[in-house]
Amino acid sequence: MSQPPDRLPSHFWSAPAVAVALATCDVPTLIGEVRRARGWTQTELAEVIGYSQSWVSKVLRGRQPLTVDQVREVAGRLGIPLHLLRFGERVGERAGARLAGQVDETTVLSLTSVTGARRRMEAATPSRELVHGAVAHVELAGRVLHRIDHRLAGQVRAGLSEAAGFAAWIHSDLLDLGTARVYYRLAVDSARRAGHRLLAAYMLGSRAAFEVEADDPGLALALLAQARRELGDDPPHIARAWLSSIEALAHATGRDAHAARAALRVAEGAVTRGERAAAPPWPWVFPFDHAKVAGYRAVVSVRLGRAAEAESAFSASLAASPPAAKQHGVLMTEMAAAKAMNGRHEEAFGLAADALRLGVAYGSDRVIQRARRFRRAYAGPITATVRTFDERLHATML
């Protein structure tokens, strides 16, 4: 077997065509996208994966079905991380029928792959277009759990946990906070019952980040303490870095500057120690690196009223890793707050207006609410730019 090629850049997996292929379990399309990204001919692709050119041609045209083993083999030879490709044989448009019918190991892999693909699509897809599918997938996983062989029940519960966590996130983006909490509780409970402590810690951390956003930093810190108990004494570096970053934000929201800075130092150290990791462990989909920590540092600085530090950290974060659309909208409201603190009101409202446009374009009530919160906190002069922003905000709400 030839050595896998160098890894594709992380943004490849969130490109629209790739995200759709992952969401529909369309393996031939995914292979074709990898081929185009590499600039390979069909013959070169065939040489890399070790099959004939005619076989590859049939696969790309959807005329050659793939088994679970073949998908795993092809993924390995193409350098596709298996944590992104957690499904077996191609299900395509038959995914729903397979999940509702035969219940076996492939069913479990299909359950998790659908959620993973939706998580990658979420960053650039309106939440209202995803919410019904997310809820239906949780319900489907619950039905499968009642029919599965007891030997696979733990795996199905893990898939149910991930699906519930995604449903919680979508509802939080739509500001349906009560429903989001219901799904977060289901996600944590399912992970624990699955015996998957890393997954339970991830869901507890996700709920903690949600509670910080909901202005309850005390509850967030309690949830983070639970997450650390789940992880034990030697957690993966990405888990330590991520949880510590959320902890820093919770402390900053509670105006504890010393604790916030200490948590950020822990996060940065964990990222440095984990830099050589080939790929983040499931249930993480994306890496958590120094650029992500810089983003947290920037928001922490805004919460603590340190505008100059915030602007510097925002610049470092955005230069290293441009965020996806919805997250960019959230960060722009934080950047606007930092600029307003520095007295740069025109720039601040320009950023807030851009964030508002993104919130409307991507159907993110969370981003729109952030823009509203920025406006309510502003106590500076009412300029023409401010009046224009107010008109756009009122039009959006009406």
Side-chain angles (χ1 to χ4, degrees):
M1 179 188 301
S2 60
Q3 291 295 318
D6 294 337
R7 285 186 295 163
L8 289 160
S10 59
H11 61 75
F12 170 82
W13 307 106
S14 58
V18 176
V20 170
L22 289 164
T24 58
C25 300
D26 187 351
V27 179
T29 295
L30 181 59
I31 294 173
E33 291 299 319
V34 171
R35 180 179 74 86
R36 277 186 282 276
R38 298 290 189 189
W40 290 334
T41 64
Q42 280 193 12
T43 300
E44 290 169 332
L45 173 63
E47 290 175 356
V48 171
I49 63 177
Y51 284 84
S52 68
Q53 189 274 331
S54 61
W55 184 89
V56 168
S57 177
K58 291 178 182 178
V59 168
L60 294 176
R61 287 182 287 129
R63 297 182 180 179
Q64 175 66 51
L66 299 175
T67 67
V68 174
D69 289 340
Q70 284 175 327
V71 170
R72 289 172 176 163
E73 178 186 19
V74 169
R77 295 184 180 185
L78 290 180
I80 301 174
L82 290 179
H83 77 282
L84 295 181
L85 193 61
R86 296 191 309 275
F87 48 86
E89 60 188 317
R90 183 190 178 197
V91 288
E93 65 277 6
R94 302 193 306 276
R98 168 169 284 282
L99 290 172
Q102 181 185 358
V103 178
D104 54 18
E105 188 177 27
T106 301
T107 302
V108 177
L109 294 169
S110 297
L111 277 171
T112 57
S113 71
V114 170
T115 304
R118 282 175 172 154
R119 287 172 64 187
R120 287 183 285 274
M121 290 180 65
E122 182 275 332
T125 304
S127 291
R128 295 190 187 282
E129 294 180 12
L130 295 171
V131 65
H132 297 300
V135 170
H137 197 57
V138 173
E139 294 172 351
L140 175 59
R143 291 196 297 272
V144 169
L145 182 60
H146 291 296
R147 300 199 310 275
I148 199 76
D149 185 285
H150 69 90
R151 293 171 297 178
L152 297 175
Q155 297 177 52
V156 174
R157 285 194 173 98
L160 172 59
S161 174
E162 187 185 27
F166 179 71
W169 171 253
I170 290 297
H171 281 91
S172 70
D173 194 52
L174 295 172
L175 294 186
D176 186 349
L177 306 189
T179 303
R181 288 189 176 96
V182 168
Y183 281 115
Y184 273 128
R185 286 194 289 269
L186 175 60
V188 172
D189 178 68
S190 298
R192 284 172 166 165
R193 296 182 69 185
H196 200 307
R197 303 191 72 173
L198 181 60
L199 178 60
Y202 179 88
M203 292 305 169
L204 285 162
S206 298
R207 169 82 186 276
F210 164 83
E211 295 298 350
V212 173
E213 184 91 4
D215 291 324
D216 195 341
L219 177 54
L221 290 170
L223 290 163
L224 290 168
Q226 290 186 38
R228 289 194 169 94
R229 287 195 292 273
E230 294 284 352
L231 288 172
D233 296 330
D234 189 26
H237 295 304
I238 189 174
R240 188 187 296 275
W242 180 63
L243 292 175
S244 295
S245 296
I246 297 170
E247 179 187 359
L249 188 53
H251 283 307
T253 302
R255 300 298 188 270
D256 188 339
H258 178 75
R261 290 181 177 279
L264 282 174
R265 286 194 295 271
V266 172
E268 288 168 345
V271 167
T272 298
R273 288 189 293 274
E275 283 179 327
R276 295 183 181 180
W282 185 79
W284 278 266
V285 171
F286 303 106
F288 192 83
D289 52 19
H290 283 291
K292 296 288 179 61
V293 177
Y296 275 91
R297 178 177 289 281
V299 179
V300 164
S301 298
V302 171
R303 296 284 191 275
L304 296 176
R306 296 173 177 173
E309 292 180 17
E311 290 202 49
S312 175
F314 276 127
S315 296
S317 176
L318 295 174
S321 179
K326 291 181 190 176
Q327 185 60 22
H328 197 191
V330 170
L331 290 178
M332 280 195 290
T333 62
E334 299 286 352
M335 293 167 63
K339 289 185 181 295
M341 279 189 274
N342 274 334
R344 292 152 65 181
H345 305 306
E346 296 296 303
E347 293 179 55
F349 274 89
L351 286 168
D354 288 341
L356 182 61
R357 280 192 289 271
L358 279 175
V360 172
Y362 288 94
S364 176
D365 291 337
R366 179 172 61 110
V367 175
I368 295 171
Q369 177 67 10
R370 287 294 199 97
R372 294 177 67 195
R373 187 184 302 173
F374 163 78
R375 179 61 183 92
R376 286 198 299 268
Y378 177 73
I382 305 301
T383 65
T385 301
V386 176
R387 285 192 291 271
T388 298
F389 178 83
D390 285 344
E391 292 171 2
R392 290 174 179 170
L393 183 59
H394 293 159
T396 297
M397 302 314 299
L398 291 173

